[in-house]
Amino acid sequence: MSEINDQELVIKVKAGDFLAYEELVKRYEFKLIRYIHNWTRDDGLAEEVVQDALFKLYKNINKVDEAQGFAGYLYKIARNELMSRFRKEKMVLPLIEEYVGDNGEHLYEDIDRKDTQKKVKKALGEIKDKHRKILELYFFEELSYKRMGELLGVPLNTIKTNLRRAKAAMLNKLKNEKR
């Protein structure tokens, strides 16, 4: 069953195929434990949270939109389960340096931002050089179209066209990342 993609497995689980659910568990259980362990640094707690998350997934499988990214949905369930556990048991999430902002506030926003930054970096590395260069000049260097044209030695309309194509390529990579 390992040749079947996640989307097909979710459809099978919705139809009552428990073996398809077991395949999803086999694919994601260890990854989820490692993901939660990175926050808790507690093997037992990570395993408990993941088991609870996988149970919630099975119980609410009909809410899963198989056309959307299944993995992202599952990781979100696990993260929410962890946060619920910490709130319910009045526990304190160990603040791991890479997850903390300047003053430790807005932890969850910092985590989401770091996840997004990783996805953007990965997508940037996968698009054509000419697209990556123009996106970096526009978004990171905040250069005007005119200045980009001067630096790259191309007309203004070419800059506009290339930037539009680069944004589309980047968006396409990011959409594929979600699947």
Side-chain angles (χ1 to χ4, degrees):
M1 208 181 277
S2 60
E3 309 86 44
I4 299 176
N5 66 32
D6 292 347
Q7 183 178 11
E8 293 167 342
L9 285 172
V10 169
I11 291 169
K12 287 181 176 233
V13 174
K14 285 182 177 182
D17 184 346
F18 191 75
L19 291 176
Y21 171 74
E22 286 181 342
E23 178 64 25
L24 286 172
V25 170
K26 189 168 38 168
R27 285 183 188 182
Y28 287 100
E29 184 175 31
F30 180 72
K31 293 175 186 177
L32 287 170
I33 290 171
R34 189 173 56 223
Y35 173 70
I36 296 299
H37 183 268
N38 283 335
W39 288 8
T40 64
R41 302 292 191 231
D42 181 334
D43 294 333
L45 179 59
E47 288 176 16
E48 287 176 26
V49 167
V50 168
Q51 290 306 311
D52 290 345
L54 290 169
F55 176 73
K56 280 189 177 180
L57 170 71
Y58 186 73
K59 193 170 95 174
N60 298 304
I61 195 71
N62 289 320
K63 294 180 181 178
V64 176
D65 181 1
E66 60 274 354
Q68 298 294 316
F70 170 76
Y73 181 79
L74 182 55
Y75 278 79
K76 190 171 190 173
I77 290 173
R79 184 178 65 204
N80 289 345
E81 186 62 29
L82 175 65
M83 298 308 152
S84 293
R85 174 76 61 98
F86 275 99
R87 277 191 299 275
K88 184 170 75 176
E89 297 179 13
K90 295 183 174 38
M91 298 167 64
V92 177
L93 181 65
L95 296 178
I96 303 165
E97 284 183 30
E98 67 182 273
Y99 293 134
V100 180
D102 295 331
N103 58 5
E105 294 179 9
H106 311 295
L107 174 65
Y108 307 115
E109 291 87 356
D110 288 346
I111 293 167
D112 285 340
R113 187 175 59 250
K114 287 192 183 289
D115 287 345
T116 301
Q117 286 172 346
K118 286 179 185 176
K119 289 176 188 174
V120 168
K121 268 187 181 176
K122 183 179 180 207
L124 269 175
E126 295 175 354
I127 61 175
K128 294 178 183 178
D129 279 344
K130 73 176 186 176
H131 289 155
R132 182 176 53 254
K133 286 178 186 172
I134 198 160
L135 287 174
E136 288 173 348
L137 290 173
Y138 184 73
F139 287 108
F140 301 126
E141 300 296 327
E142 299 179 357
L143 297 180
S144 68
Y145 290 169
K146 182 180 177 186
R147 183 68 182 125
M148 286 189 292
E150 292 170 358
L151 282 175
L152 298 175
V154 295
L156 185 63
N157 286 337
T158 303
I159 290 293
K160 291 177 182 179
T161 300
N162 287 346
L163 184 58
R164 187 174 58 252
R165 289 178 182 162
K167 287 177 182 178
M170 184 70 168
L171 185 61
N172 188 35
K173 286 289 181 188
L174 290 170
K175 282 182 181 177
N176 287 337
E177 176 74 23
K178 289 182 181 179
R179 291 184 188 163

